[in-house]
Amino acid sequence: MAEGVAKSSVGTARQPFKWFYNFLTLDFKIGSGDDEWLYTEEPHSLRRKEILRKHPEIKQLMGYDPMIAVIVSCEVLAQIFICWLIQDLSWPAIFVLAYCLGGVLNHSLGSAIHEIGHNLAFGHARGWANRVLSVWCNLPIAIPMAISYKKYHADHHRYLGEEMNDVDIPTRLEAYLFRHPLTKAFWLTVHPIIHALRPFYKSPKPITGWEMINAVCQFIFDYFILTTFGVKPLVYLVAGTLFGLGLHPLAGHFISEHYLFSGGQATHSYYGPLNFILFNVGYHNEHHDFPYIPYTRLPEVKRLAPEYYDNLPYHTSWVKVIWDFIFDKNMGPHAHGVGYPTDDMENNPNKEKIQ
């Protein structure tokens, strides 16, 4: 469950944001047999308007931070250097290193792609530069995903909680199949593959020119690694991606963000030391409220508007999130938040939590 909860101001802060607390689980929606769910406006847009009315100074935090280009370039070059170092390493050592180091660096680069996908490296006026940087970040990940991720992630923000358009929501088949601890652990292990394929069969969009550029650049880089350093470094990169985005401590953020650990709350933040590695992706309420504020300034959002964040349940351990997800029978792919039910408060199981 979400570890931290503030002790005051809960009732007064919740009144303006009914939809933010009105999420139900995917399992509940499937079981209700009612597809006539009202979709009005994703809940963070209401929070954003209210917060900006009370704290207009937050607008000054919007913008971009090009320093991320320096950081990710160091990570990309580090991965290439490691590929040179491990050419003669044993296979067991390759896989251990891929989990402990490659997975960390590739997951960090994946989080950077998320940040850059919001044009937060060079600003909206230089969208092409953000795309080039994201393709550069993508190289050690070894599988082309940067441009496709940006395209589908925009829908995650625009349609948060809308079952078919928010591709982060598991399919009903996933919700049905993966409910036992063993199957949930397996689901987490193969989650990178499922998450990568889900948009293409749930809400497919035409392939763009930038996606083709992304794929060609990735193929050239992978071929370079294979012919220059051999098969082991390429396996190290691919395994690092699959490990780091799968059953790995850092991957707890995938679960912590929009699964219903505390009633009907749409989004949860994580405040812990691993934010340093993943470009403050744990400040997830702050990010969804203000997706055009760069990661370096998200803690300042929380500081400037504490009455909107300090009273929300939050996570302090992604490892605990994974543990609860696997072993709590109420958690699993079926526990992802969806919205919004028709405004029938008498029959809403979250009634006591949102009044």
Side-chain angles (χ1 to χ4, degrees):
M1 300 301 101
E3 287 87 352
V5 186
K7 296 181 180 179
S8 62
S9 304
V10 175
T12 56
R14 287 186 171 182
Q15 286 303 323
F17 313 121
K18 182 177 67 174
W19 292 119
F20 183 72
Y21 301 93
N22 208 22
F23 267 40
L24 298 171
T25 64
L26 175 61
D27 193 45
F28 182 89
K29 182 175 182 181
I30 294 171
S32 72
D34 180 10
D35 288 328
E36 297 301 321
W37 282 35
L38 175 66
Y39 186 86
T40 53
E41 187 175 23
E42 69 89 15
H44 288 276
S45 63
L46 301 176
R47 284 173 54 84
R48 183 182 310 118
K49 294 171 186 176
E50 177 69 17
I51 293 171
L52 286 177
R53 276 197 293 268
K54 293 188 177 181
H55 298 281
E57 66 274 15
I58 288 178
K59 290 181 180 179
Q60 303 304 314
L61 301 177
M62 297 179 184
Y64 56 93
D65 188 345
M67 181 54 66
I68 193 173
V70 176
I71 298 171
V72 298
S73 293
C74 290
E75 291 182 323
V76 170
L77 295 174
Q79 284 288 64
I80 296 173
F81 179 66
I82 291 169
C83 286
W84 172 74
L85 284 178
I86 65 174
Q87 297 175 67
D88 299 319
L89 212 58
S90 68
W91 280 110
I94 289 288
F95 286 109
V96 170
L97 192 67
Y99 189 90
C100 297
L101 180 59
V104 172
L105 288 173
N106 279 4
H107 200 134
S108 180
L109 287 168
S111 289
I113 287 172
H114 164 259
E115 182 79 2
I116 297 163
H118 285 279
N119 292 329
L120 295 175
F122 301 115
H124 297 290
R126 291 179 289 275
W128 65 269
N130 290 282
R131 289 177 176 82
V132 169
L133 182 60
S134 68
V135 171
W136 168 245
C137 289
N138 199 155
L139 296 180
I141 294 174
I143 301 166
M145 49 76 67
I147 304 301
S148 296
Y149 176 82
K150 171 183 170 59
K151 180 172 67 176
Y152 287 103
H153 185 68
D155 284 348
H156 169 64
H157 278 264
R158 186 177 299 114
Y159 303 111
L160 178 65
E162 205 284 318
E163 185 182 357
M164 296 312 299
N165 287 315
D166 182 354
V167 295
D168 279 14
I169 298 175
T171 62
R172 297 188 176 197
L173 181 61
E174 291 170 67
Y176 173 77
L177 291 177
F178 304 106
R179 291 180 178 252
H180 186 274
L182 288 178
T183 60
K184 287 190 283 185
F186 174 77
W187 183 83
L188 288 172
T189 301
V190 299
H191 184 255
I193 299 172
I194 293 175
H195 192 74
L197 295 178
R198 190 189 296 137
F200 296 101
Y201 60 79
K202 188 176 184 180
S203 181
K205 299 176 184 293
I207 301 296
T208 67
W210 273 103
E211 284 177 289
M212 297 175 65
I213 292 171
N214 189 179
V216 169
C217 290
Q218 192 63 63
F219 174 80
I220 293 172
F221 177 81
D222 292 350
Y223 184 75
F224 164 77
I225 294 294
L226 180 63
T227 56
T228 304
F229 303 125
V231 67
K232 288 182 179 179
L234 183 59
V235 170
Y236 158 79
L237 293 177
V238 174
T241 298
L242 297 178
F243 289 159
L245 300 177
L247 190 55
H248 191 281
L250 292 179
H253 82 84
F254 292 125
I255 307 302
S256 69
E257 293 166 357
H258 302 293
Y259 282 80
L260 299 191
F261 283 88
S262 53
Q265 183 174 312
T267 306
H268 289 79
S269 287
Y270 156 84
Y271 303 125
L274 296 181
N275 274 319
F276 173 77
I277 301 171
L278 298 190
F279 299 95
N280 279 340
V281 72
Y283 284 82
H284 217 64
N285 270 307
E286 294 83 350
H287 169 65
H288 269 268
D289 288 344
F290 301 100
Y292 301 128
I293 291 179
Y295 77 98
T296 49
R297 303 170 199 164
L298 289 178
E300 186 67 5
V301 173
K302 184 175 184 294
R303 189 191 70 81
L304 289 173
E307 69 272 27
Y308 291 97
Y309 299 104
D310 289 352
N311 63 327
L312 297 178
Y314 59 88
H315 298 284
T316 58
S317 170
W318 280 329
V319 173
K320 186 177 187 301
V321 165
I322 293 174
W323 179 273
D324 290 341
F325 182 83
I326 293 175
F327 293 105
D328 185 339
K329 67 179 181 180
N330 295 316
M331 298 305 299
H334 61 281
H336 196 289
V338 294
Y340 311 101
T342 52
D343 196 13
D344 182 3
M345 290 301 298
E346 290 305 316
N347 297 319
N348 192 323
N350 292 326
K351 177 182 176 182
E352 299 301 323
K353 298 183 178 69
I354 63 177
Q355 285 187 322

